[in-house]
Amino acid sequence: MSSLPPKLTPTEYLEMLRAEQSSRSGTSESNADIIPTDLVTRDGQAADVIAAPPPPSDSSGERNGPSRSERSGEVEPSGGSSHSSSSHSSSSHSGSDDAGNGSEYVNSGRGGVVRKSRRPASEVARGDKHLTELFERVNALLGERAGDEEEPFRPPVPRSLQETGLTAEEIERLVMKYLLQRGAASGREVCSQIKLPYAMIDPLLNAWKHEQLLAHKGAAEMGDYVYVITDRGRERARRYADECTYFGAAPVGLRDYLQAMEAQSIAHQQATEADLKRAFSDLLISEDMFERLGPAINSGRGMFLFGEPGNGKTSIAERITQCFGKAIWIPRTLGIDGDIIRLFDPGVHEEVTDDEGEGIFDLSGVDQRWVRVVRPTIVAGGELTMAELEVTQNLQTKICEAPLQLKSNCGTLVIDDFGRQTMPVDVLLNRWIVPLEKRYDFLNLPSGKKIQVPFDQLIIFSTNLEPRDLVDGAFLRRIPYKIKVPDPSREHFQKLFEIMAPKMGLVYNEEAVNYLIEEHYEKVDRPFRNCQPRDLLLQIRNYCAYREKPKEMTPESFDFAVENYFSVM
């Protein structure tokens, strides 16, 4: 639940002004309000009031709370009319004003008559020249932004309930459960919670108030109200909560999700050599490794990364998604036949936030039910279980959690330490053998329905074991690329020390590194590993700090580090 006031789109704000002006011009005699004659209309034109009495006041002489029509500007008269109220005793009649613009005289019901303009609402709303110029400028800026946008998919703000794919009852469930927990909230706070436009929700709130499910607690800013749930509404909300406790962002339909994944598919992305070097800029990768990684990444299919432990398989796998760059849009939640599936996971998704400033306007033009995230890279290690690959439902809250492959769509899913999971390898392979071939998956929902969803990610199996010892030929055929991450050469090994030393706050000493290689590697026939320079330098830094010695690489410090590091290796 957000504590920040919800922002308005410029279009929404303009429509709100137009609605206020429209209601002013169309107010019936039963609800026309008369306000003090020293006020003028928003566009600077004085409305004619005939014998308007003063507003009611309390004992202190102060006026009682304004009515909704007064706050929204339904009637904003000023003095300047000298007609007598007795000459307009009929409920309403037509006449002409001095300027020749048609107008209608209506009995206010309080001893006064109001002349209402017949100008169209659109003309009234554009009466203020400065306001018109402002909105024209904002719309021009939004148009330029939309034209410059290179994203293949960007969810637009829904303009109607039909465009959301939701029904009024589905929205009612969310709002009632939210107010049941919150107690009271303004209409805009409700919209901020469920991520839908205020112009769409305000009529529903009024309808629920008419049904006595909600009540007004007080007035809020910009013509809004603070709503509280009634006893009748509370009883209904409890029934909704028994079915599912979720009351967050309104869900996105499966069809909209499928269209978004197709537009942002990782299969449509192509990584160049420059993209790879940018993504792996913080790692020391040989040109030969780049030549093998590039085609495998562009395939958009699965790959095996295998080799000895400590050579950087996991580090390579975690950076592959960065080759594709950019971010993607995913729904916060999916709604499928009444089941709520939570898709956005802050634990694995990194949200991309735009600096929109502190104004009242939301200039993004984006459906807030969606969230922009960095192309996901999800790593699952030895703790991976079959339950994480299926839709799971919390039996208490009735909220479903999306499986890992759904959360990683349009990104990368890394199965680290493949072969060391608690579940048998053949169980995992049998679960994915068809999705890897067809690039789509079938998920079973708690309701019993089975749905087809994209299996659109780069699957990377990282293992210290030989792939042929883990899986059979049928599965290996579906993983077209098997890339071995080799041990580093001597030159590569020395370069790693040169790169890592300054990061550890140590002074690089080439002679000390040569001593290490000759005495502790070549003499004992010990293989090089990419992780060892970092690990040995950490030992030296801690040793120097303890002995209060200068942080430098010496043969003595390497002797100490090797004795500790390789004592049982």
Side-chain angles (χ1 to χ4, degrees):
M1 144 184 6
S2 174
S3 59
L4 297 176
K7 295 185 177 183
L8 298 172
T9 64
T11 302
E12 185 179 11
Y13 183 60
L14 183 57
E15 289 300 325
M16 184 185 71
L17 293 180
R18 288 176 174 173
E20 291 177 356
Q21 296 286 359
S22 178
S23 65
R24 173 178 14 174
S25 63
T27 303
S28 65
E29 62 179 288
S30 61
N31 60 10
D33 287 335
I34 307 301
I35 63 176
T37 59
D38 58 347
L39 298 181
V40 296
T41 59
R42 184 177 284 107
D43 59 3
Q45 300 297 322
D48 293 331
V49 177
I50 304 170
S57 59
D58 57 17
S59 58
S60 63
E62 296 180 355
R63 186 181 176 185
N64 293 331
S67 67
R68 178 168 185 171
S69 60
E70 292 172 345
R71 283 194 308 275
S72 63
E74 288 179 336
V75 180
E76 295 176 332
S78 68
S81 174
S82 59
H83 296 285
S84 170
S85 60
S86 61
S87 62
H88 299 278
S89 58
S90 61
S91 61
S92 67
H93 66 274
S94 297
S96 300
D97 59 11
D98 296 336
N101 297 325
S103 60
E104 180 181 0
Y105 296 91
V106 178
N107 188 344
S108 69
R110 300 182 185 178
V113 176
V114 179
R115 185 180 65 182
K116 301 188 301 178
S117 172
R118 287 182 176 177
R119 288 180 295 170
S122 59
E123 181 183 344
V124 175
R126 295 181 178 272
D128 192 315
K129 178 180 178 182
H130 298 291
L131 186 62
T132 301
E133 292 176 353
L134 170 64
F135 281 108
E136 288 177 352
R137 176 59 179 160
V138 169
N139 289 331
L141 290 174
L142 289 176
E144 292 170 5
R145 175 172 181 174
D148 295 339
E149 186 59 62
E150 297 180 356
E151 292 176 307
F153 173 80
R154 190 176 181 87
V157 176
R159 294 167 297 180
S160 65
L161 191 61
Q162 183 179 5
E163 288 188 6
T164 66
L166 300 169
T167 64
E169 181 182 5
E170 290 174 313
I171 297 177
E172 177 186 318
R173 290 172 179 268
L174 297 175
V175 173
M176 292 300 168
K177 288 184 285 187
Y178 171 60
L179 290 176
L180 179 66
Q181 297 296 323
R182 176 74 182 271
S186 69
R188 300 190 190 281
E189 288 174 331
V190 170
C191 295
S192 179
Q193 174 69 17
I194 65 175
K195 309 298 183 185
L196 288 175
Y198 176 74
M200 184 185 303
I201 301 303
D202 184 49
L204 296 177
L205 292 171
N206 290 330
W208 298 329
K209 178 182 178 296
H210 182 72
E211 296 176 22
Q212 298 182 352
L213 300 175
L214 303 178
H216 288 167
K217 182 179 181 181
E221 58 187 8
M222 300 184 71
D224 194 6
Y225 286 102
V226 176
Y227 291 90
V228 294
I229 193 167
T230 63
D231 291 339
R232 181 181 179 184
R234 186 173 289 106
E235 180 183 352
R236 184 176 297 186
R238 289 196 180 103
R239 293 202 306 269
Y240 292 154
D242 289 339
E243 298 172 2
C244 178
T245 61
Y246 179 81
F247 55 84
V252 173
L254 179 60
R255 183 183 62 180
D256 293 337
Y257 173 72
L258 296 179
Q259 292 175 349
M261 293 301 101
E262 172 62 24
Q264 303 173 109
S265 171
I266 200 170
H268 301 333
Q269 308 298 317
Q270 294 295 318
T272 65
E273 183 178 1
D275 293 329
L276 261 69
K277 291 187 175 180
R278 171 182 51 80
F280 292 96
S281 59
D282 60 335
L283 294 181
L284 187 60
I285 303 293
S286 67
E287 290 297 326
D288 182 60
M289 179 61 70
F290 276 130
E291 290 295 322
R292 285 181 284 173
L293 280 175
I297 293 172
N298 278 332
S299 72
R301 305 291 294 273
M303 75 171 75
F304 269 111
L305 285 178
F306 66 99
E308 297 297 331
N311 276 343
K313 296 182 297 297
T314 302
S315 297
I316 292 174
E318 291 175 344
R319 286 163 176 78
I320 284 178
T321 313
Q322 299 177 23
C323 299
F324 302 114
K326 298 184 180 180
I328 63 170
W329 292 92
I330 63 172
R332 299 177 187 273
T333 55
L334 288 174
I336 305 173
D337 292 347
D339 287 319
I340 299 293
I341 303 176
R342 209 158 31 193
L343 183 61
F344 172 62
D345 185 350
V348 298
H349 292 131
E350 180 183 352
E351 184 175 0
V352 178
T353 57
D354 295 326
D355 184 11
E356 299 179 359
E358 299 180 355
I360 64 171
F361 292 126
D362 174 16
L363 302 180
S364 67
V366 170
D367 187 345
Q368 296 301 311
R369 296 178 298 160
W370 297 73
V371 58
R372 192 167 183 247
V373 300
V374 176
R375 281 192 181 268
T377 299
I378 298 179
V379 181
E383 76 284 356
L384 180 65
T385 63
M386 182 57 71
E388 296 179 90
L389 305 181
E390 303 291 347
V391 175
T392 56
Q393 185 184 56
N394 186 303
L395 297 180
Q396 282 72 41
T397 64
K398 303 298 190 300
I399 301 174
C400 300
E401 191 73 19
L404 289 181
Q405 66 269 27
L406 204 63
K407 293 179 180 179
S408 64
N409 267 336
C410 300
T412 303
L413 177 57
V414 181
I415 309 300
D416 202 12
D417 290 329
F418 180 62
R420 303 186 187 277
Q421 282 71 33
T422 56
M423 62 177 173
V425 172
D426 58 343
V427 174
L428 174 62
L429 300 183
N430 290 335
R431 173 64 181 83
W432 278 352
I433 195 167
V434 173
L436 284 170
E437 178 79 15
K438 303 295 185 181
R439 298 191 67 81
Y440 58 78
D441 192 15
F442 289 98
L443 297 178
N444 294 309
L445 301 182
S447 61
K449 183 174 182 177
K450 178 175 287 189
I451 61 172
Q452 179 179 318
V453 295
F455 193 80
D456 188 77
Q457 62 279 111
L458 189 63
I459 298 285
I460 301 177
F461 297 93
S462 173
T463 180
N464 302 328
L465 308 174
E466 188 70 25
R468 66 171 61 94
D469 297 333
L470 288 173
V471 298
D472 57 21
F475 190 80
L476 284 176
R477 181 178 63 83
R478 289 169 170 82
I479 307 294
Y481 292 91
K482 297 88 174 173
I483 300 175
K484 183 175 182 178
V485 182
D487 295 336
S489 63
R490 174 168 177 157
E491 293 75 16
H492 191 125
F493 195 66
Q494 287 178 306
K495 186 65 175 178
L496 287 172
F497 276 103
E498 186 178 347
I499 294 173
M500 294 301 301
K503 295 182 179 180
M504 299 290 181
L506 298 171
V507 178
Y508 176 70
N509 186 335
E510 185 176 357
E511 293 182 358
V513 174
N514 288 332
Y515 167 81
L516 168 71
I517 293 174
E518 294 168 2
E519 291 295 324
H520 297 289
Y521 280 87
E522 294 179 346
K523 281 188 178 181
V524 297
D525 197 24
R526 178 175 285 136
F528 297 124
R529 298 284 188 267
N530 284 319
C531 66
Q532 290 170 356
R534 177 200 62 197
D535 297 342
L536 291 173
L537 290 178
L538 279 172
Q539 295 265 357
I540 293 175
R541 187 184 68 179
N542 296 334
Y543 170 76
C544 293
Y546 173 72
R547 298 296 297 271
E548 297 182 345
K549 290 184 175 183
K551 294 183 179 180
E552 57 184 5
M553 302 159 62
T554 63
E556 293 78 13
S557 62
F558 271 124
D559 289 338
F560 172 82
V562 168
E563 183 180 359
N564 281 336
Y565 191 72
F566 293 108
S567 60
V568 293
M569 295 174 64

